[in-house]
């Protein structure tokens, strides 16, 4: 394998056409990203552990979407209703984790913004309900509980396996 210098690589490689950030800038960016985002698996693990996870999960979707499937124990608070209902449903001292449909939807981001503007500490759950279901975690529908097999493209299919992240 022939190694190329960074100058040569950037001339022919669209990945490196814009050089990577400095290690210090990258560390600051990724640290900040973790302050704003939570992983589906981490949320599921915290909710499954004994005791209070230290946060509340908010489903920001419509009632029809909620009925189709939602995370057990989540609070249903559609984004449009946050300004008028958040104070009644949420404790401002408890961090909030928002979710919506999935990575193609920015509803959880809008909900997180609305909650942050009201003074709540908030994170967005990456992957949303789609990845919750695809990773094989139990969810509730208007008909009762449901669980699907883990999608091998999103999670280890063995319940005891750890993705290694």
């Amino acid at each position: 394998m022939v190694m190329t210098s960074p100058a040569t690589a950037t001339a022919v490689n669209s990945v490196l056409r814009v050089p990577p950030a400095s290690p210090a800038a990258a560390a600051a960016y990724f640290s900040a990203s973790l302050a704003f985002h939570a992983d589906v698996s981490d949320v599921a693990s915290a909710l499954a552990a004994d005791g209070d996870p230290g946060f509340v999960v908010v489903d920001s979707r419509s009632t029809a979407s909620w009925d189709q499937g939602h995370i057990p124990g989540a609070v249903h608070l559609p984004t449009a209703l946050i300004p008028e209902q958040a104070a009644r449903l949420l404790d401002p001292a408890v961090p909030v984790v928002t979710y919506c449909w999935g990575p193609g939807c920015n509803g959880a981001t809008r909900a997180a913004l609305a909650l942050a503007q009201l003074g709540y500490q908030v994170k967005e759950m990456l992957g949303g309900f789609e990845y919750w279901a695809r990773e094989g975690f139990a969810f509730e529908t208007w008909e009762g509980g449901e669980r699907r097999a883990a999608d091998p493209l999103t999670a280890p299919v063995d319940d005891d396996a750890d993705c290694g992240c």
Side-chain angles (χ1 to χ4, degrees):
M1 178 166 133
V2 176
M3 299 298 290
T4 59
S5 71
T8 304
T10 57
V12 297
N13 182 332
S14 61
V15 172
L16 298 175
R17 188 169 293 134
V18 174
S22 70
Y29 171 83
F30 292 117
S31 178
S33 178
L34 291 172
F36 297 110
H37 300 110
D39 177 272
V40 166
S41 295
D42 290 341
V43 171
S45 176
L47 293 175
D50 291 335
D52 180 0
F55 61 87
V56 63
V57 177
V58 169
D59 184 317
S60 64
R61 301 172 302 148
S62 69
T63 299
S65 300
W66 167 268
D67 289 345
Q68 190 172 321
H70 59 271
I71 295 174
V75 173
H76 184 222
L77 181 56
T79 302
L81 301 178
I82 288 173
E84 64 188 62
Q85 294 185 7
R88 183 174 53 82
L89 297 173
L90 303 172
D91 179 346
V94 177
V96 176
V97 175
T98 63
Y99 76 91
C100 199
W101 273 113
C105 175
N106 68 359
T109 306
R110 286 186 306 227
L113 173 60
L115 289 163
Q117 289 172 330
L118 292 173
Y120 291 87
Q121 292 182 324
V122 62
K123 288 188 173 202
E124 177 183 4
M125 186 178 78
L126 297 175
F129 181 73
E130 175 189 350
Y131 275 71
W132 184 273
R134 289 181 72 188
E135 290 190 24
F137 299 117
F139 58 93
E140 297 173 346
T141 72
W142 68 274
E143 296 177 307
E146 190 173 327
R147 186 177 192 149
R148 298 180 181 167
D151 178 340
L153 295 176
T154 65
V157 294
D158 181 359
D159 283 343
D160 296 331
D162 182 343
C163 72
C165 301

